[in-house]
Amino acid sequence: MKDTGYRPKYITFDCYGTLTNFQMADAVRPLIAGEIAPEDTATFLKDFRAYRIDEVLGEYKLYRQVLRDSWQRVCNRWRIPFKTSDVEAIVHAVGSWGPHDDVPEPLAKLADAYPLVILSNAEDEMLQNNVAQLGAPFHRVTAEQARAYKPRYQSFEYMLDQLNCTRDEILHISSHIWYDIIPCNELRIEMPRL
Protein backbone atom coordinates (compact mmCIF):
# COMPACT_ATOMS: atom_id res chain seq x y z
CA MET A 1 0.00 0.00 0.00
CA LYS A 2 1.34 3.42 -0.94
CA ASP A 3 2.05 5.69 2.05
CA THR A 4 -0.15 8.78 1.69
CA GLY A 5 0.30 10.05 5.24
CA TYR A 6 -3.35 9.22 5.99
CA ARG A 7 -3.87 8.00 9.58
CA PRO A 8 -7.38 6.81 10.34
CA LYS A 9 -8.97 7.03 13.76
CA TYR A 10 -10.11 3.39 13.40
CA ILE A 11 -9.31 0.49 11.11
CA THR A 12 -12.46 -1.48 10.39
CA PHE A 13 -12.72 -4.96 8.95
CA ASP A 14 -15.20 -7.35 7.50
CA CYS A 15 -14.79 -10.64 9.40
CA TYR A 16 -15.85 -13.69 7.35
CA GLY A 17 -13.60 -14.29 4.39
CA THR A 18 -11.43 -11.28 5.18
CA LEU A 19 -10.05 -12.21 8.61
CA THR A 20 -11.78 -15.52 9.28
CA ASN A 21 -11.37 -18.47 6.95
CA PHE A 22 -14.88 -18.71 5.47
CA GLN A 23 -15.55 -22.43 5.03
CA MET A 24 -19.21 -22.61 4.03
CA ALA A 25 -18.53 -25.11 1.23
CA ASP A 26 -16.82 -27.48 3.69
CA ALA A 27 -19.76 -27.15 6.10
CA VAL A 28 -22.36 -27.85 3.41
CA ARG A 29 -20.76 -30.69 1.42
CA PRO A 30 -21.44 -33.41 4.04
CA LEU A 31 -25.07 -32.26 4.32
CA ILE A 32 -25.77 -32.78 0.62
CA ALA A 33 -23.71 -35.93 0.11
CA GLY A 34 -26.06 -38.52 -1.38
CA GLU A 35 -28.72 -35.89 -2.08
CA ILE A 36 -27.26 -34.36 -5.23
CA ALA A 37 -24.75 -35.57 -7.81
CA PRO A 38 -21.14 -34.65 -6.94
CA GLU A 39 -20.76 -32.77 -10.23
CA ASP A 40 -23.67 -30.49 -9.16
CA THR A 41 -22.07 -29.47 -5.84
CA ALA A 42 -20.52 -26.24 -7.13
CA THR A 43 -23.83 -25.10 -8.62
CA PHE A 44 -25.69 -25.98 -5.40
CA LEU A 45 -23.19 -23.92 -3.39
CA LYS A 46 -23.63 -20.95 -5.76
CA ASP A 47 -27.40 -21.19 -5.35
CA PHE A 48 -27.10 -21.31 -1.55
CA ARG A 49 -24.85 -18.21 -1.67
CA ALA A 50 -27.33 -16.40 -3.94
CA TYR A 51 -30.20 -17.11 -1.54
CA ARG A 52 -28.13 -15.80 1.41
CA ILE A 53 -27.49 -12.59 -0.52
CA ASP A 54 -31.17 -12.26 -1.35
CA GLU A 55 -32.18 -12.87 2.29
CA VAL A 56 -29.93 -10.12 3.72
CA LEU A 57 -31.56 -7.58 1.42
CA GLY A 58 -34.96 -8.08 2.99
CA GLU A 59 -36.34 -7.03 6.35
CA TYR A 60 -33.85 -7.60 9.18
CA LYS A 61 -33.82 -10.96 10.96
CA LEU A 62 -31.12 -12.79 12.92
CA TYR A 63 -28.43 -14.37 10.76
CA ARG A 64 -29.37 -17.88 11.91
CA GLN A 65 -32.81 -17.17 10.38
CA VAL A 66 -31.12 -15.90 7.19
CA LEU A 67 -29.26 -19.23 7.03
CA ARG A 68 -32.42 -21.20 7.78
CA ASP A 69 -34.51 -19.44 5.13
CA SER A 70 -31.70 -19.63 2.55
CA TRP A 71 -31.26 -23.33 3.25
CA GLN A 72 -35.01 -23.92 2.93
CA ARG A 73 -35.06 -22.14 -0.42
CA VAL A 74 -32.05 -23.96 -1.86
CA CYS A 75 -33.43 -27.32 -0.68
CA ASN A 76 -36.77 -26.53 -2.32
CA ARG A 77 -35.03 -25.49 -5.55
CA TRP A 78 -33.00 -28.71 -5.65
CA ARG A 79 -35.93 -30.83 -4.41
CA ILE A 80 -34.02 -32.31 -1.51
CA PRO A 81 -35.29 -32.73 2.05
CA PHE A 82 -35.01 -29.70 4.32
CA LYS A 83 -33.68 -30.67 7.75
CA THR A 84 -33.50 -28.38 10.77
CA SER A 85 -30.45 -30.37 11.88
CA ASP A 86 -28.65 -29.19 8.72
CA VAL A 87 -29.34 -25.56 9.63
CA GLU A 88 -28.07 -26.17 13.17
CA ALA A 89 -24.88 -27.72 11.75
CA ILE A 90 -24.33 -24.70 9.47
CA VAL A 91 -24.93 -22.20 12.31
CA HIS A 92 -22.49 -24.10 14.53
CA ALA A 93 -19.89 -24.23 11.75
CA VAL A 94 -20.05 -20.47 11.11
CA GLY A 95 -19.32 -19.75 14.77
CA SER A 96 -16.36 -22.15 14.86
CA TRP A 97 -14.19 -20.84 12.03
CA GLY A 98 -10.76 -19.51 12.87
CA PRO A 99 -8.57 -16.90 11.20
CA HIS A 100 -6.60 -17.26 7.99
CA ASP A 101 -3.07 -18.38 8.92
CA ASP A 102 -1.53 -15.07 7.89
CA VAL A 103 -3.92 -12.86 9.91
CA PRO A 104 -3.12 -13.00 13.68
CA GLU A 105 0.45 -11.64 13.64
CA PRO A 106 -0.11 -8.53 11.47
CA LEU A 107 -3.46 -7.94 13.19
CA ALA A 108 -1.73 -7.84 16.59
CA LYS A 109 0.74 -5.27 15.23
CA LEU A 110 -2.10 -3.13 13.87
CA ALA A 111 -3.89 -3.34 17.23
CA ASP A 112 -0.85 -1.77 18.87
CA ALA A 113 -1.24 1.32 16.66
CA TYR A 114 -4.99 1.59 15.94
CA PRO A 115 -8.32 0.72 17.53
CA LEU A 116 -9.73 -2.16 15.46
CA VAL A 117 -13.39 -2.69 14.62
CA ILE A 118 -15.29 -5.55 13.01
CA LEU A 119 -18.39 -4.78 10.95
CA SER A 120 -19.99 -8.16 10.37
CA ASN A 121 -23.17 -9.59 8.95
CA ALA A 122 -23.18 -12.14 11.76
CA GLU A 123 -25.15 -11.93 14.95
CA ASP A 124 -23.41 -11.18 18.24
CA GLU A 125 -23.42 -14.71 19.67
CA MET A 126 -22.21 -16.30 16.44
CA LEU A 127 -19.28 -13.88 16.10
CA GLN A 128 -17.85 -14.17 19.63
CA ASN A 129 -15.77 -17.31 19.06
CA ASN A 130 -14.50 -16.14 15.67
CA VAL A 131 -13.25 -12.85 17.12
CA ALA A 132 -11.68 -14.55 20.15
CA GLN A 133 -9.57 -16.67 17.79
CA LEU A 134 -8.18 -13.58 16.03
CA GLY A 135 -6.05 -12.76 19.07
CA ALA A 136 -6.46 -8.98 18.92
CA PRO A 137 -8.80 -6.57 20.73
CA PHE A 138 -11.80 -5.45 18.70
CA HIS A 139 -14.79 -3.22 18.97
CA ARG A 140 -17.61 -5.24 17.47
CA VAL A 141 -20.42 -3.91 15.33
CA THR A 142 -22.80 -6.50 13.97
CA ALA A 143 -25.89 -6.65 11.84
CA GLU A 144 -27.77 -7.62 14.98
CA GLN A 145 -26.89 -4.28 16.56
CA ALA A 146 -27.38 -2.25 13.37
CA ARG A 147 -30.59 -4.12 12.46
CA ALA A 148 -29.34 -4.21 8.86
CA TYR A 149 -26.95 -6.28 6.78
CA LYS A 150 -24.19 -5.13 4.48
CA PRO A 151 -24.33 -3.99 1.69
CA ARG A 152 -27.10 -1.78 3.12
CA TYR A 153 -25.76 1.64 4.01
CA GLN A 154 -27.56 1.48 7.35
CA SER A 155 -24.96 -0.94 8.75
CA PHE A 156 -22.04 1.33 7.81
CA GLU A 157 -23.87 4.44 9.08
CA TYR A 158 -24.66 2.69 12.36
CA MET A 159 -20.98 1.80 12.79
CA LEU A 160 -19.93 5.42 12.22
CA ASP A 161 -22.53 6.61 14.75
CA GLN A 162 -21.36 4.06 17.34
CA LEU A 163 -17.72 5.05 16.86
CA ASN A 164 -18.66 8.75 16.89
CA CYS A 165 -16.54 9.39 13.83
CA THR A 166 -16.86 10.47 10.23
CA ARG A 167 -16.37 8.35 7.14
CA ASP A 168 -12.94 9.86 6.50
CA GLU A 169 -11.76 8.79 9.97
CA ILE A 170 -11.93 5.06 9.23
CA LEU A 171 -10.09 2.74 6.89
CA HIS A 172 -12.26 -0.26 5.98
CA ILE A 173 -10.69 -3.54 4.86
CA SER A 174 -12.63 -6.32 3.17
CA SER A 175 -12.26 -9.04 0.58
CA HIS A 176 -15.90 -8.69 -0.53
CA ILE A 177 -16.70 -6.51 -3.51
CA TRP A 178 -20.48 -6.68 -3.22
CA TYR A 179 -20.91 -6.57 0.58
CA ASP A 180 -18.25 -3.98 1.42
CA ILE A 181 -16.22 -2.46 -1.41
CA ILE A 182 -19.13 -1.15 -3.49
CA PRO A 183 -21.04 0.41 -0.57
CA CYS A 184 -17.83 1.89 0.88
CA ASN A 185 -17.07 3.43 -2.49
CA GLU A 186 -20.57 4.88 -2.74
CA LEU A 187 -20.40 6.20 0.85
CA ARG A 188 -16.87 7.56 0.27
CA ILE A 189 -15.40 5.46 3.08
CA GLU A 190 -11.64 5.02 2.69
CA MET A 191 -10.41 1.60 1.59
CA PRO A 192 -6.84 0.45 0.92
CA ARG A 193 -5.57 0.88 -2.59
CA LEU A 194 -2.91 -1.54 -3.69
Side-chain angles (χ1 to χ4, degrees):
M1 193 163 93
K2 183 179 172 183
D3 185 7
T4 61
Y6 171 71
R7 284 199 55 87
K9 187 174 178 182
Y10 294 96
I11 297 180
T12 64
F13 293 88
D14 165 66
C15 186
Y16 296 104
T18 302
L19 299 174
T20 297
N21 188 4
F22 190 77
Q23 303 169 58
M24 188 63 80
D26 292 341
V28 168
R29 278 189 193 99
L31 306 176
I32 60 174
E35 297 292 344
I36 64 169
E39 62 270 18
D40 292 333
T41 299
T43 305
F44 181 94
L45 292 168
K46 285 180 187 176
D47 289 347
F48 184 39
R49 179 181 183 271
Y51 284 125
R52 292 194 315 273
I53 289 171
D54 188 56
E55 289 291 327
V56 300
L57 294 175
E59 188 173 323
Y60 175 78
K61 53 189 163 187
L62 287 174
Y63 195 67
R64 64 188 65 236
Q65 188 67 37
V66 167
L67 291 171
R68 185 213 173 281
D69 294 348
S70 303
W71 189 251
Q72 175 95 57
R73 292 173 72 186
V74 76
C75 287
N76 290 347
R77 180 174 183 165
W78 283 81
R79 301 188 189 284
I80 64 173
F82 168 81
K83 298 178 199 160
T84 303
S85 59
D86 290 348
V87 177
E88 291 167 4
I90 293 168
V91 168
H92 174 74
V94 170
S96 71
W97 297 330
H100 293 288
D101 293 339
D102 60 351
V103 164
E105 187 178 332
L107 204 55
K109 289 178 183 176
L110 272 178
D112 287 341
Y114 297 94
L116 305 180
V117 177
I118 285 182
L119 177 60
S120 177
N121 273 358
E123 59 194 72
D124 296 342
E125 183 182 329
M126 199 177 284
L127 188 64
Q128 287 176 3
N129 185 52
N130 306 113
V131 172
Q133 293 183 65
L134 294 172
F138 276 95
H139 296 278
R140 294 177 191 97
V141 179
T142 65
E144 183 176 356
Q145 296 162 21
R147 310 302 287 173
Y149 290 100
K150 299 180 294 180
R152 298 203 43 218
Y153 295 172
Q154 181 179 333
S155 50
F156 293 95
E157 291 165 342
Y158 177 84
M159 176 182 68
L160 293 170
D161 287 346
Q162 292 304 299
L163 297 174
N164 192 29
C165 67
T166 60
R167 60 189 82 201
D168 60 339
E169 292 179 309
I170 66 169
L171 174 68
H172 189 68
I173 300 171
S174 177
S175 62
H176 301 288
I177 292 172
W178 189 78
Y179 284 109
D180 292 87
I181 295 171
I182 292 172
C184 281
N185 183 60
E186 295 296 319
L187 290 168
R188 294 183 304 285
I189 292 172
E190 187 71 28
M191 295 200 74
R193 286 168 181 59
L194 303 175

